[in-house]
């Protein structure tokens, strides 16, 4: 029987682990992460899924690299799979997989290599992304590609909307690829890394809105960091605020002399630096969700100027 060790986390980790098990692959060990208490978990737990199926589970936070190496080496796996595991696996660990170590990445490689690929794709205005199954090497997301599938990014999709599409694509391509991997007939194509792009981890300050940007750019930021991610931050009349959802309404043009919140037809809009506007669908001020109908009545009396840049 084919044997695999799984490194995984989150929904992609759960769905891909389930797919591996459906192909009658022996999975004696899952390596995952302890949940971060500072992070709201909105996704399923790989640890819970594995333990429910009597699979041994260890976490990166409670073991050393040497202990993980020893655990994997003792199992002599045919394959090592990484499904949204949050750390780069060292080459010495990858070498323990007798038939190869493969990763599922949330983009169409070689584009958007690195961290937070879905968020970055939306921020860069991409109209598609996808899932890619590829071999792991010492360089992140640079190994030969086994298979990939594209998904559309619609104009108002948030990161979690796209994440769900990518999760479904990941499950589908893994399901289709596993028979060839198991029987040795699978082929892979080397990446042209130079033709792609690489992005690093995102920081909290990256979610601060710069209202000197055009409306499309701000809309992309809002949807890239919309809940369950931290949300796009700004200030409104000096109060901390989060713009959680916007709608493109570029035909609605404000009449302010600078970026500002204003009212039209009982609705709230943000005029951006290019004179185009976004309709506000969800806003928090001072940590509380506001009633936009009431807020619109206030804006009808007095539009509110927006800061070009808010410091952290």
């Amino acid at each position: 029987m084919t044997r695999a060790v799984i490194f995984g986390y989150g929904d992609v980790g759960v769905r891909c682990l389930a797919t591996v098990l459906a192909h009658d692959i022996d999975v004696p060990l899952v390596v995952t992460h302890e949940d971060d208490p500072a992070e709201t978990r909105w996704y399923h737990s790989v640890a819970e899924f594995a333990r429910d199926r009597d699979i041994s589970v260890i976490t990166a936070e409670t073991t050393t690299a040497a202990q993980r190496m020893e655990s994997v080496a003792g199992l002599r796996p045919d394959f090592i799979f990484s499904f949204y595991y949050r750390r780069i696996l060292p080459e010495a660990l990858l070498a323990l997989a007798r038939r190869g170590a493969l990763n599922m990445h949330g983009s169409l490689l070689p584009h958007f290599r690195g961290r937070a690929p879905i968020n970055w794709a939306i921020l860069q205005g991409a109209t598609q992304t996808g899932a890619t199954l590829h071999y792991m090497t010492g360089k992140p997301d640079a190994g030969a590609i086994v298979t990939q599938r594209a998904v559309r990014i619609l104009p108002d999709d948030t990161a979690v909307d796209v994440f769900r599409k990518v999760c479904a694509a990941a499950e589908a391509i893994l399901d289709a690829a596993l028979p060839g991997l198991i029987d040795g007939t699978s082929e892979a194509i080397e990446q042209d890394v130079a033709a792609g792009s690489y992005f690093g981890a995102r920081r909290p300050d990256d979610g601060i809105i710069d209202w000197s940007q055009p409306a499309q750019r701000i809309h992309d930021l809002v949807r890239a960091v919309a809940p369950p991610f931290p949300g796009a931050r700004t200030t409104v009349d000096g109060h901390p605020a989060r713009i959680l959802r916007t709608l493109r309404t570029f035909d609605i043009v404000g009449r302010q002399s600078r970026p500002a919140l204003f009212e039209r037809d009982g609705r709230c809009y943000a005029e951006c630096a290019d004179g185009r506007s976004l309709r506000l669908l969800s806003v928090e001020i001072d940590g509380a969700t506001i009633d936009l109908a009431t807020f619109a009545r206030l804006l009808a009396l007095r539009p509110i100027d927006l800061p070009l840049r808010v410091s952290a």
Side-chain angles (χ1 to χ4, degrees):
M1 176 180 285
T2 302
R3 172 173 287 184
V5 171
I6 308 294
F7 289 73
Y9 193 68
D11 286 358
V12 171
V14 169
R15 295 312 307 160
C16 288
L17 172 55
T19 302
V20 168
L21 294 173
H23 284 263
D24 296 323
I25 296 174
D26 176 34
V27 180
L29 177 66
V30 165
V31 185
T32 187
H33 296 283
E34 299 288 331
D35 293 329
D36 185 345
E39 181 179 330
T40 300
R41 180 162 70 85
W42 50 272
Y43 35 80
H44 293 90
S45 168
V46 167
E48 292 173 5
F49 184 90
R51 288 178 180 131
D52 285 346
R53 287 152 182 79
D54 297 323
I55 299 172
S56 295
V57 175
I58 61 175
T59 67
E61 292 75 19
T62 59
T63 57
T64 66
Q67 289 171 329
R68 293 191 293 275
M69 280 283 295
E70 183 179 0
S71 296
V72 174
L75 295 170
R76 294 178 54 79
D78 296 293
F79 295 100
I80 291 173
F81 290 106
S82 177
F83 301 135
Y84 270 48
Y85 187 71
R86 292 181 166 184
R87 296 186 182 182
I88 295 173
L89 301 184
E91 290 183 86
L93 179 62
L94 302 181
L96 297 176
R98 294 183 292 175
R99 298 178 60 188
L102 297 98
N103 176 59
M104 184 68 72
H105 186 72
S107 78
L108 294 177
L109 293 176
H111 303 290
F112 298 105
R113 294 170 49 239
R115 300 289 298 275
I118 292 172
N119 309 82
W120 280 115
I122 295 172
L123 281 160
Q124 295 299 310
T127 57
Q128 72 169 8
T129 188
T132 301
L133 181 67
H134 68 96
Y135 284 95
M136 287 184 278
T137 67
K139 192 173 184 178
D141 306 320
I145 294 171
V146 175
T147 184
Q148 58 186 186
R149 176 175 294 187
V151 302
R152 282 286 307 278
I153 302 177
L154 301 181
D156 295 312
D157 276 348
T158 66
V160 74
D161 294 329
V162 179
F163 175 80
R164 292 188 179 111
K165 298 178 190 182
V166 169
C167 187
E171 180 179 345
I173 63 173
L174 180 65
D175 186 55
L178 281 172
L181 290 171
I182 293 169
D183 66 22
T185 60
S186 177
E187 297 181 355
I189 299 174
E190 293 297 327
Q191 284 193 61
D192 181 4
V193 174
S197 55
Y198 182 89
F199 292 86
R202 290 188 55 76
R203 304 165 301 168
D205 287 1
D206 294 330
I208 297 173
I209 300 173
D210 180 354
W211 291 102
S212 68
Q213 296 289 320
Q216 180 66 61
R217 185 72 174 172
I218 293 171
H219 179 62
D220 290 343
L221 172 62
V222 170
R223 62 199 186 101
V225 298
F229 296 97
R233 294 155 47 206
T234 187
T235 62
V236 174
D237 249 5
H239 296 269
R242 294 197 304 162
I243 309 297
L244 302 180
R245 290 297 297 268
T246 54
L247 186 67
R248 300 189 314 161
T249 53
F250 297 160
D251 57 322
I252 305 296
V253 179
R255 294 292 183 265
Q256 315 307 313
S257 60
R258 53 171 289 156
L261 301 179
F262 68 97
E263 177 271 347
R264 178 169 169 177
D265 299 327
R267 293 172 174 170
C268 301
Y269 294 89
E271 181 178 355
C272 303
D274 59 354
R276 298 184 179 275
S277 301
L278 299 173
R279 182 181 165 193
L280 305 183
L281 298 182
S282 180
V283 178
E284 281 184 2
I285 298 178
D286 288 328
T289 302
I290 65 169
D291 179 78
L292 289 175
T294 300
F295 192 48
R297 289 194 288 271
L298 297 174
L299 292 176
L301 299 173
R302 181 178 67 88
I304 298 175
D305 287 343
L306 289 166
L308 297 184
R309 179 70 179 173
V310 179
S311 63

